[in-house]
Amino acid sequence: MDVLQELYETVLSRKEAQVEGSYTCYLFEKGTDKILKKCGEECSEVIIAAKNKKNPETVGEISDLLYHLMVLMVNEGIPFNEVEAELACRSEKTGNLKQFHQVDRDS
């Protein structure tokens, strides 16, 4: 089992059996809005750390974001293997660059 799968299983176990003093349990108790807020905060922190070219900090913030995304997945009943399967499908695609619309900024 890889580290992300293990993290997912740990988060899932916290949802099933509340552990006193657990931050994960606290997030589940507070609900979807709190979990989404934390995902947004962590995403912003990843952006800022990366923009500032602080790789060790960026690694930490990415780890925080992945953790909070796992909490969101468990909260929403999204199995880890569904995300894994989607990523596997996407990794098989080539030449799938999306076309971006050009905006005429002069008008």
Side-chain angles (χ1 to χ4, degrees), residues 21-38:
S22 165
Y23 176 66
T24 305
C25 293
Y26 163 80
L27 290 172
F28 287 131
E29 180 183 306
K30 292 298 179 182
T32 304
D33 285 351
K34 180 67 171 181
I35 295 166
L36 292 172
K37 180 180 177 188
K38 291 303 297 180

Side-chain angles (χ1 to χ4, degrees), residues 77-89:
I78 299 169
F80 182 78
N81 63 351
E82 284 186 20
V83 174
E84 218 174 19
E86 178 65 21
L87 290 171
C89 286

Side-chain angles (χ1 to χ4, degrees), residues 55-98:
N55 284 353
E57 187 177 327
T58 304
V59 168
E61 297 302 345
I62 289 170
S63 298
D64 290 345
L65 177 58
L66 288 171
Y67 160 76
H68 285 91
L69 289 172
M70 293 289 181
V71 173
L72 178 63
M73 288 168 55
V74 169
N75 192 66
E76 299 303 309
I78 299 169
F80 182 78
N81 63 351
E82 284 186 20
V83 174
E84 218 174 19
E86 178 65 21
L87 290 171
C89 286
R90 290 181 182 203
S91 71
E92 294 173 4
K93 295 179 182 179
T94 58
N96 62 343
L97 178 65
K98 293 181 180 177

Side-chain angles (χ1 to χ4, degrees), residues 37-46 61 64-65 68:
K37 180 180 177 188
K38 291 303 297 180
C39 287
E41 288 174 7
E42 297 303 339
C43 186
S44 296
E45 290 171 3
V46 168
E61 297 302 345
D64 290 345
L65 177 58
H68 285 91

